[in-house]
Amino acid sequence: MNCCVDFKGCNKGVKILAVIFDLDGTLLDTGRAGRYVLTEFLAKYGKKLDMEKEERKRLGMTQKESAAIFVKDYELPLTPDQFIEEITPYYRERWADAKALPGANRLIKHLQKNGVPLALASNSMHEYIEAKISHHKGWKESFSVILGSDQVKSGKPSPYLFEEAAKEMGVDAINCLVIEDSFVGVQAANAAKMKVVAVPSQKEADCYVLADVVLHSLLEFQPQLWGLPPFDDWVDKALPIEPIHLSGLYVTGSLYETTGNAAFSLPDQVVGLYIGWAKVDTDRNLKILVSINLDHLPGFANKKVHVCLIDVNNEDKSEQKMEIHLVGYIKALDKELTSTELEKLTEYKSFARASLDLASFSYI
């Protein structure tokens, strides 16, 4: 992965004065909400959602482009406009549940606090952008410019959204940094002659080719490498995060999905090495070190969750239902951390144990 940590400096002499964010899939986890909507909507017409088909398309398209393809693919007795009119209320209801992706709130607050101009530029319509961010405190006030594809000549991959955002912020395109999750968004940033960081889902692997830097999640973003003020919120070797909750069946060091369990529908960006707390069949809360990785298999993203019980023998707590609350982030991982990496595991367990004694990482 072309991660920013591999660079001594990402801006290469170009001063970054403003940051432009995409919204869906970059700051907000609207993708999962969308899949629930599509499943429910298609059921009205006796159709079933084809997940393999959905994973391969439509990310970054405008609403009308996406609607036209959807109506055709599922042979719906609707025009694209009728489809949009019928399905929009379903989406509006789900947008209230769309959560900020890991690191999104942290990055927005940090840049705003340090006076860096921020813009939102999305292929969604402006009205929908406003509706989505209304559920997140302080987001609207954080962005001096909010643009939808209905406000420019054409959306991404054309450069107009990003060019207009820069113009309204009063910043030259060359001094803007774009943060995107989709290939069409990266293409648009390239066309606008802007630097671009991609935080793609697994299915957007094409981003690796055109982005200046590719990250697993926004938790990896290092502002100082772009000439922006650095974060100051790490506590020793761990970063306090908004809690991430998952559950499943714990079996000799790994967490497995159980029937009806949504643990592994976490967004692709929830990967890396974390610390947190686990609750098993007893009421006792256990300190844990957790690695979350994606199997890079064609067609789907399969999560691997490895759980190391810090003060308990892993073998002693096998085959039990487990609830996990991740409260701290340690680092990105390109491969799974396993118990065979004894030297590293001992080191990570040591400072995980100490960190979880601090108030910043207490069990909530």
Side-chain angles (χ1 to χ4, degrees):
M1 177 167 283
N2 184 23
C3 182
C4 203
V5 295
D6 296 332
F7 291 78
K8 293 181 179 178
C10 299
N11 56 332
K12 299 180 181 178
V14 176
K15 187 170 180 61
I16 298 300
L17 301 176
V19 178
I20 306 173
F21 289 94
D22 173 55
L23 180 60
D24 301 296
T26 301
L27 296 178
L28 273 185
D29 182 21
T30 49
R32 284 191 297 159
R35 287 192 289 274
Y36 294 136
V37 166
L38 293 174
T39 299
E40 185 180 358
F41 184 83
L42 285 172
K44 289 193 345 178
Y45 292 93
K47 310 278 186 177
K48 288 187 177 181
L49 191 68
D50 184 333
M51 286 305 302
E52 184 176 349
K53 185 184 298 182
E54 295 307 306
E55 289 293 326
R56 293 198 304 263
K57 68 182 184 184
R58 286 204 286 280
L59 191 63
M61 289 186 181
T62 64
Q63 184 185 37
K64 286 193 174 182
E65 291 170 339
S66 177
I69 293 174
F70 195 88
V71 167
K72 180 180 179 181
D73 280 353
Y74 290 95
E75 300 179 342
L76 297 175
L78 302 168
T79 66
D81 286 340
Q82 288 171 333
F83 170 77
I84 291 170
E85 184 179 354
E86 280 196 27
I87 203 168
T88 297
Y90 290 79
Y91 277 117
R92 285 186 179 277
E93 186 176 341
R94 288 284 187 177
W95 287 337
D97 299 323
K99 297 184 182 301
L101 285 163
N105 277 314
R106 174 192 184 224
L107 182 54
I108 291 170
K109 290 175 183 176
H110 174 75
L111 295 176
Q112 184 195 35
K113 181 180 73 174
N114 286 281
V116 179
L118 304 178
L120 265 183
S122 169
N123 262 358
S124 290
M125 294 175 63
H126 184 267
E127 174 191 355
Y128 299 159
I129 298 171
E130 293 274 1
K132 292 170 189 176
I133 66 175
S134 69
H135 302 289
H136 297 268
K137 186 177 180 180
W139 279 27
K140 183 174 182 178
E141 296 76 18
S142 298
F143 297 99
S144 58
V145 176
I146 299 175
L147 288 174
S149 60
D150 56 321
Q151 295 175 279
V152 293
K153 183 179 178 180
S154 62
K156 308 166 192 177
S158 298
Y160 304 119
L161 271 168
F162 293 142
E163 289 174 345
E164 181 61 25
K167 179 181 176 182
E168 292 191 21
M169 286 190 291
V171 178
D172 290 339
I174 197 172
N175 300 119
C176 291
L177 174 66
V178 172
I179 301 182
E180 264 284 355
D181 75 305
S182 70
F183 183 59
V184 296
V186 172
Q187 286 179 304
N190 284 174
K193 304 296 191 291
M194 297 178 181
K195 295 292 182 182
V196 57
V197 172
V199 192
S201 62
Q202 188 182 16
K203 59 183 175 290
E204 287 292 296
D206 289 343
C207 288
Y208 288 64
V209 179
L210 296 181
D212 293 288
V213 169
V214 179
L215 305 177
H216 296 94
S217 84
L218 291 177
L219 292 172
E220 296 177 30
F221 185 76
Q222 297 184 50
Q224 69 273 21
L225 298 183
W226 296 95
L228 298 168
F231 287 116
D232 58 2
D233 52 354
W234 283 76
V235 179
D236 194 10
K237 296 180 180 180
L239 171 68
I241 61 172
E242 298 171 32
I244 298 172
H245 307 285
L246 59 155
S247 62
L249 184 66
Y250 174 79
V251 182
T252 58
S254 294
L255 193 72
Y256 296 94
E257 186 173 11
T258 56
T259 304
N261 180 286
F264 297 90
S265 63
L266 290 168
D268 286 358
Q269 291 86 344
V270 180
V271 293
L273 189 62
Y274 296 84
I275 59 174
W277 299 89
K279 180 176 285 188
V280 288
D281 289 341
T282 67
D283 291 332
R284 183 183 175 192
N285 294 318
L286 306 174
K287 294 179 179 178
I288 54 173
L289 179 70
V290 178
S291 67
I292 303 178
N293 301 83
L294 283 171
D295 272 345
H296 296 283
L297 301 174
F300 68 95
N302 182 37
K303 281 268 171 46
K304 277 190 173 182
V305 181
H306 182 82
V307 182
C308 177
L309 304 176
I310 292 175
D311 295 316
V312 178
N313 188 321
N314 280 11
E315 299 295 329
D316 293 340
K317 293 290 180 181
S318 61
E319 298 189 9
Q320 297 192 56
K321 292 180 180 178
M322 178 178 282
E323 294 180 4
I324 287 178
H325 306 272
L326 303 178
V327 295
Y329 172 80
I330 296 177
K331 60 173 290 184
L333 287 176
D334 284 319
K335 61 180 181 179
E336 184 179 4
L337 179 71
T338 68
S339 56
T340 59
E341 297 174 286
L342 295 178
E343 186 176 338
K344 282 186 178 181
L345 194 61
T346 301
E347 176 189 346
Y348 289 136
K349 284 175 67 175
S350 178
F351 67 74
R353 180 184 293 110
S355 295
L356 288 166
D357 284 333
L358 302 175
S360 299
F361 305 101
S362 62
Y363 179 82
I364 300 176

